[in-house]
Amino acid sequence: MLGAAELGEAPGERATLVQFSSAFCQPCRATRRILAEVAEMVEGVAHIEIDAEERLDLVRALGIEKTPTVLVLDSAGREVRRAAGMPRKVDVIAALGAAV
């Protein structure tokens, strides 16, 4: 389970979209836009972006292998979905269904 201490900021009330990114990752920019749009559309959902290079401890603990990787957390901070690569907005919305 991931909470504010691990994420660096408060998770969403209903769900959290956690994005692991790196500085020179082009798909990370598009992923940031997509996740921010979804978080604005769905009440109680937060988008938190984590720099994978700065948080190697968390990357290793969670087995993150590439960027972008997106975790969908439920309200308790449990991972309910994971995807590597740039997601489609419709897929993010569908994944949120498992979390809320």
Side-chain angles (χ1 to χ4, degrees):
M1 291 200 289
L2 299 173
E6 295 82 13
L7 299 173
E9 56 186 278
E13 291 177 21
R14 297 177 65 204
T16 307
L17 301 170
V18 180
Q19 174 184 348
F20 286 87
S21 300
S22 53
F24 301 105
C25 167
Q26 286 286 36
C28 292
R29 292 184 187 118
T31 299
R32 179 183 309 121
R33 244 185 347 269
I34 292 166
L35 298 182
E37 288 173 9
V38 171
E40 282 188 28
M41 288 172 34
V42 184
E43 189 174 333
V45 174
H47 169 229
I48 298 174
E49 187 171 2
I50 297 174
D51 184 323
E53 295 169 18
E54 290 180 9
R55 294 297 313 273
L56 284 176
D57 59 326
L58 193 55
V59 165
R60 289 183 181 122
L62 296 172
I64 305 296
E65 296 180 1
K66 68 184 233 175
T67 59
T69 292
V70 177
L71 307 181
V72 178
L73 307 179
D74 65 11
S75 60
R78 290 182 296 257
E79 181 182 329
V80 294
R81 293 280 191 273
R82 176 186 292 222
M86 188 177 77
R88 296 180 316 153
K89 187 186 290 188
V90 66
D91 295 331
V92 174
I93 293 168
L96 277 174
V100 293

